[in-house]
Amino acid sequence: MSRPPLDQIDAFVIAARLGNLTRAAEAMHLTVSALSHRMRLLEERVGQRLLARGPRGVVLTPQGQRLFDAVAEPIDAIEHALRRLSARTDNLLTLSLIPSMATAWLVPRLPHFLSRHPELGLSLQASTHVVDFEREPVDAALRLGAGKWPGIKAEFLFDEWITPVASPGFLQKHGKPALAKIATLPLLGDPANRWKDWFAAFGGKAPARHVAAFDDTETLHQAAAQGLGVALARLTLAQPLIDSGRLVRLTSKRLKAEFAHYLVYPERSLQLAGFQTMRSWLLSQAAAAK
C-alpha cells in the first residue's frame, strides 16, 4: 500500500474530533464535498469504513477509532512543529507581557527602538496568562516574578519598588501625613499584602482592616487615582499615573517588592537575529531604568 497523503489523514482527524463534516470542512477551509472526497480516498486506501453517520453527525467506527488513536497525536505534533517554524523569522518577533507593563514601561520606549530598527516587526500580546513556549508562537515575555521558570531562560531586568500613593483630591481632603502617620489614613489592601512590611520598615502600625482590598495591581492603582484611599503602588506600573498628576507619592521612601522584572524566553529564540537585537535593547533600557 502506498503512503496516504497527510491531507487525507488531517481531514480524518478533524472530522473525527468535530463529529460534523460541515464544521470540519469550515475548519479546513474546504467545501463539504471536497472533505468527503478526501475521506473516501482514505477509506479506499485502508479498505475499511472509518466514519459512520450518527443522529447528530458522524461517529468513528471501531476501525476508525483504532486509526484515530494511532495518528491523532503525531498529526498534532506535526502541526505544532510547522506552526512554530512558520511563525518565527529573524525579522518578526512576538513578545508577551502584562497589559500594565506594556502601557507603563514598554510602549513609551518603543518609538526609540522601532526608529532604529525599521527592518524588525514586533507583535505585542498583552496578557496575564503564563506563556507555553512549546505550543504558542511567542519568542519572549516580560514577566514579574522570582526569576525561576522551569525549562526557559530568565534574565534579570530591574527590581520593582513599592511606595504609598494617593490622588491629589484625597490629599486635599485628608492632608499629607508624616511618614509614621500614614496608617491613620484610609488604606487600600494590595495583592501581596505588603502594608505590614511597609510599617515594619518605616514605622507605624497596620490597621486591622482596609477600606477595600484588590487582587489586581492595575485596579488598585486606578482605585487610588479615583480617591478611594492610599495604595501601596508598584512604582514601575504606577509611573504614568504619577507623571500625569493623577497620583502623588506620599514619601520618597520606597520598599523593594517581593518580585522583580525579567525577560524570559526559550533557548530557540537565541537563534533569531531579531531577538538578539531586541534583547540587547531591552537590557540597555532596563539598565538605564535601575
Side-chain angles (χ1 to χ4, degrees), residues 4-238:
L6 281 177
D7 60 347
Q8 296 174 17
I9 297 292
D10 195 33
F12 164 69
V13 169
I14 292 175
R17 281 185 170 146
L18 295 179
N20 183 286
L21 293 182
T22 300
R23 283 189 289 145
E26 290 174 352
M28 298 188 70
H29 306 289
L30 297 172
T31 64
V32 175
S33 61
L35 176 64
S36 299
H37 179 67
R38 291 187 184 185
M39 289 303 310
R40 283 196 300 273
L41 291 176
L42 181 61
E43 289 178 334
E44 289 173 5
R45 282 177 176 272
V46 300
Q48 301 280 352
R49 188 75 179 275
L50 302 175
L51 292 174
R53 292 194 177 276
R56 296 184 179 179
V58 292
V59 295
L60 288 166
T61 65
Q63 296 84 359
Q65 186 66 59
R66 287 198 296 271
L67 181 61
F68 180 84
D69 293 341
V71 302
E73 188 172 342
I75 284 290
D76 287 343
I78 291 171
E79 288 179 354
H80 288 316
L82 291 174
R83 193 155 52 237
R84 287 172 60 181
L85 285 173
S86 62
R88 291 171 176 81
T89 67
D90 274 355
N91 295 326
L92 180 61
L93 303 174
T94 300
L95 182 68
S96 170
L97 69 170
I98 58 176
S100 53
M101 184 62 172
T103 303
W105 192 83
L106 183 62
V107 171
R109 291 169 167 80
L110 274 184
H112 172 263
F113 174 75
L114 295 176
S115 66
R116 293 179 61 186
H117 302 285
E119 78 283 1
L120 296 182
L122 182 62
S123 174
L124 296 183
Q125 293 186 357
S127 172
T128 57
H129 91 280
V130 178
V131 177
D132 183 348
F133 288 108
E134 287 301 313
R135 292 184 175 273
E136 298 178 59
V138 176
D139 301 299
L142 298 183
R143 283 293 179 261
L144 187 68
K148 295 180 180 179
W149 289 272
I152 58 176
K153 291 184 173 293
E155 292 192 82
F156 174 79
L157 293 176
F158 51 85
D159 288 313
E160 182 59 88
W161 299 86
I162 54 178
T163 195
V165 297
S167 71
F170 179 90
L171 294 179
Q172 185 176 8
K173 178 180 178 181
H174 294 274
K176 190 173 182 179
L179 183 61
K181 297 294 184 178
I182 290 176
T184 64
L185 296 178
L187 303 183
L188 304 178
D190 63 290
N193 192 25
R194 294 297 305 273
W195 274 117
K196 60 180 180 180
D197 299 324
W198 174 267
F199 291 120
F202 299 109
K205 184 179 180 181
R209 60 183 294 273
H210 300 117
V211 175
F214 301 87
D215 62 0
D216 173 73
T217 299
E218 188 169 7
T219 306
L220 170 67
H221 294 167
Q222 291 295 334
Q226 293 297 323
L228 191 59
V230 179
L232 201 54
R234 295 184 183 274
L235 277 175
T236 301
L237 306 182

